[in-house]
Amino acid sequence: NSVNNMIAKPLARYSSWLRRGDFIFLSGMIAVEPASGKIIKGFEDLPDGIGPTIGKTGEFSVDIKDGPVLAQSWYVLDSISRIMTEAGGSIDDVFKLVQYFRNLSDFPRYNNIRRMFFPNTLPVSTVVEVSAMMPSDEIVIEIEATAFLPEKK
């Protein structure tokens, strides 16, 4: 009983998510637009109006430094939310996140974005720093998620 979705079309030969009984397992998600293969590099790559809600200041030197992690964090968590909706649930069904960072100093900025998606109960969490992520050095965060979503019988 596995279903792939179009929201997070895999960039290689793997499933973006699978249902196993009452659990939904999401592969590691990165900030790449599936249709075009475009990497989200900053605020300008997000839908209109999102940047100011997640920390865009309009100050070039601040936004150029904070933009990649803030934009990619929002994009990936929004993708997880949309996948969960497609699976018949919501992001509130996510109970575990594994977050991979190129640089752990980005965690505080990411954590502010995560609070926007999980305002009540934060999922259990693992945070690690890695030396590289696919497909390029422009990727600064990858997140995998696990959700509990009982099957409708």
Side-chain angles (χ1 to χ4, degrees):
N1 185 6
S2 68
V3 179
N4 266 318
N5 62 47
M6 300 322 303
I7 290 170
K9 181 180 163 223
L11 302 172
R13 293 184 48 82
Y14 63 89
S15 297
S16 56
W17 65 273
L18 294 172
R19 174 182 276 282
R20 290 291 184 260
D22 291 338
F23 293 92
I24 305 286
F25 297 90
L26 283 74
S27 291
M29 306 285 298
I30 58 173
V32 174
E33 198 174 82
S36 67
K38 178 181 193 251
I39 295 172
I40 304 302
K41 298 176 188 166
F43 298 119
E44 65 282 353
D45 296 326
L46 298 177
D48 288 344
I50 297 298
T53 69
I54 63 169
K56 181 179 180 182
T57 65
E59 297 176 39
F60 181 80
S61 59
V62 173
D63 291 347
I64 205 77
K65 177 138 179 66
D66 290 346
V69 70
L70 291 171
Q72 288 187 24
S73 297
W74 181 89
Y75 189 91
V76 172
L77 290 168
D78 183 66
S79 295
I80 290 169
S81 179
R82 288 185 289 127
I83 288 169
M84 289 308 303
T85 298
E86 183 178 278
S90 76
I91 199 165
D92 293 333
D93 298 309
V94 171
F95 69 90
K96 180 177 186 200
L97 296 174
V98 180
Q99 296 112 143
Y100 303 91
F101 289 86
R102 286 286 312 278
N103 187 334
L104 279 179
S105 67
D106 286 336
F107 181 79
R109 286 175 293 289
Y110 160 77
N111 200 38
N112 289 333
I113 305 299
R114 185 175 62 174
R115 273 193 205 99
M116 295 170 66
F117 286 87
F118 297 98
N120 301 314
T121 303
L122 287 174
V124 296
S125 178
T126 300
V127 175
V128 296
E129 181 177 282
V130 296
S131 61
M133 287 186 265
M134 299 284 282
S136 86
D137 288 344
E138 294 172 312
I139 298 296
V140 298
I141 186 168
E142 182 170 341
I143 304 170
E144 75 178 69
T146 306
F148 182 73
L149 181 63
E151 284 189 281
K152 294 186 169 84
K153 308 246 178 193

